[in-house]
Amino acid sequence: MTDPTENTPPPATRTHALERLRRFVPIAGRDYAARRNYDLGSQGHPDVSGLSPYLRHRLITEPEVIAAVLGRHSASTAEKFVQEVVWRTYWKGWLEMRPQVWADYRQGLSRVLNDGRHDDRLAAASAGQSGIDCFDAWMGELVTTGYLHNHARMWMASIWIFTLRLPWEAGADLFMRHLLDGDPASNTLSWRWVAGLQTQGKHYIARPDNITRYTEGRFAPKGLVTDAAPLSGPPHPPRRPLPADARPDPGLPTGILLTEEDLSPGFLFDDAQGPILGHAGLMSVAGRSPLPVADPVTAFTRDAMMDARARWSGRMGAPGPLSDDPAVIAAWAVELGLGQIVTPYAPTGPTMKALNMLEAMLSEVGITLIRRIRSYDQAAWPHATAGFFRFKEHIPALLGDILPDSVDKL
Ligand SMILES: Cc1cc2nc3c(=O)[nH]c(=O)nc-3n(C[C@H](O)[C@H](O)[C@H](O)COP(=O)(O)OP(=O)(O)OC[C@H]3O[C@@H](n4cnc5c(N)ncnc54)[C@H](O)[C@@H]3O)c2cc1C
């Protein structure tokens, strides 16, 4: 849900997220179910929440959003919305058990960027000069606002892959560089789903009549390819076991490390841990792509981090560095005399990579990195073994078990 006059990225604060949620809750039931597929462009997106940049960085959390909606609507009335929020959870759990899919995507992307075969057409499509009016308009919206409606993402990805015949990895990367909510799991797996690689053999074809209907006549594209075969790829890699939650040592001097994966660190303070001496922030936004990430994305992520640091400063000890270099964080930990650093678990992606580097540096100086996994993620991720339709059968139990507990601790 955006203000129609809002064509610059929104403020990266929890206050703004809560205000968005407050405005959205009344329409999260039947209205959302009926209208969520409409992409009304310059009228803003009045039928959806626009909460994804906030959920992506957990300035606001999934249980919190679901609880607010269920406080106003019955579970059956809000079923569609709850399911959409839980898609995010499903993708995170699915990738967490198959991190190789992210590594393969990044390798495929490197190949595409290095071989240069598509350079001219890639440059034209990325500049919004494909010659397909709806596609070019969405590209402009993406670059200007850092947001696209879900249906526009599906149509764009489909046109990119099946009409423009461009490599899906380059399209996914373009999204990662420009979306404020750019997320390794939701983005990579959604592009794979459109291509026919995720649910193998089933792809998503953008149809002109569907675009015309759900844009209320804004576009009537001609010349879209509607009879292409799905892309083919290797079978899914075997699942690895999910990581276990780590517990802090109550006897050790402790530092808190925030990352852009989870900026609601309240759950870290559940357990007894040693005295908290200070806090730092590790930024990994530049690692979302091998190419430069758009300035608004970097600014949004940095501002979200600053907002969390300010909100939680009273619980986290002395402020330390905000850096994208794990070595700076390791040096801070040594200087402060820390025995452990406690941080929210960062799922597969650039932040996890940076934390792995930090962990190796810390272990050389006898400091442990404790990665805490939220109870919501612990409860949900193990069910992401197959497709979403199997996963969603667990939603009632997930809400019953986890929701009141998680929400109390936010
Ligand atoms: C090709 C493609 C790429 C995408 N890339 C991303 C991405 O990088 N990051 C991202 O957060 N979402 C991604 N999505 C999913 C979805 O498009 C966005 O989450 C949604 O459009 C965000 O708008 P909203 O907050 O107004 O959604 P709402 O309809 O209000 O939904 C509420 C919340 O549910 C979650 N959600 C809704 N739909 C989906 C979905 N299909 N998959 C996963 N989560 C969902 C989001 O967190 C969203 O904020 C992608 C979808 C496609 C088809």
Side-chain angles (χ1 to χ4, degrees), residues 1 24 32 48-52 55-56 81 84-85 87-88 91 147-150 153-154 157 175-176 179 181-183 186-187 190-191 194:
M1 178 194 270
F24 174 71
Y32 181 82
V48 292
S49 73
L51 285 170
S52 54
L55 283 163
R56 155 67 179 92
F81 181 73
E84 292 306 319
V85 174
W87 261 105
R88 173 185 147 78
W91 285 140
Y147 176 84
L148 281 176
H149 185 279
N150 181 57
R153 298 181 200 212
M154 291 163 61
F175 272 27
M176 282 298 275
L179 284 172
D181 62 33
D183 179 82
S186 289
N187 191 57
S190 296
W191 273 84
V194 171

Side-chain angles (χ1 to χ4, degrees), residues 318-385:
L322 173 58
S323 176
D324 57 7
D325 184 353
V328 170
I329 308 296
W332 160 78
V334 171
E335 196 180 324
L336 212 58
L338 300 180
Q340 62 189 351
I341 294 181
V342 178
T343 191
Y345 181 83
T348 300
T351 305
M352 177 190 267
K353 188 172 167 192
L355 287 181
N356 291 346
M357 286 165 67
L358 174 63
E359 186 168 43
M361 290 172 190
L362 292 174
S363 79
E364 283 178 18
V365 288
I367 303 172
T368 38
L369 183 68
I370 306 291
R371 306 186 206 204
R372 301 299 319 274
I373 309 180
R374 282 180 179 277
S375 50
Y376 175 78
D377 295 337
Q378 285 186 53
W381 287 352
H383 300 300
T385 51

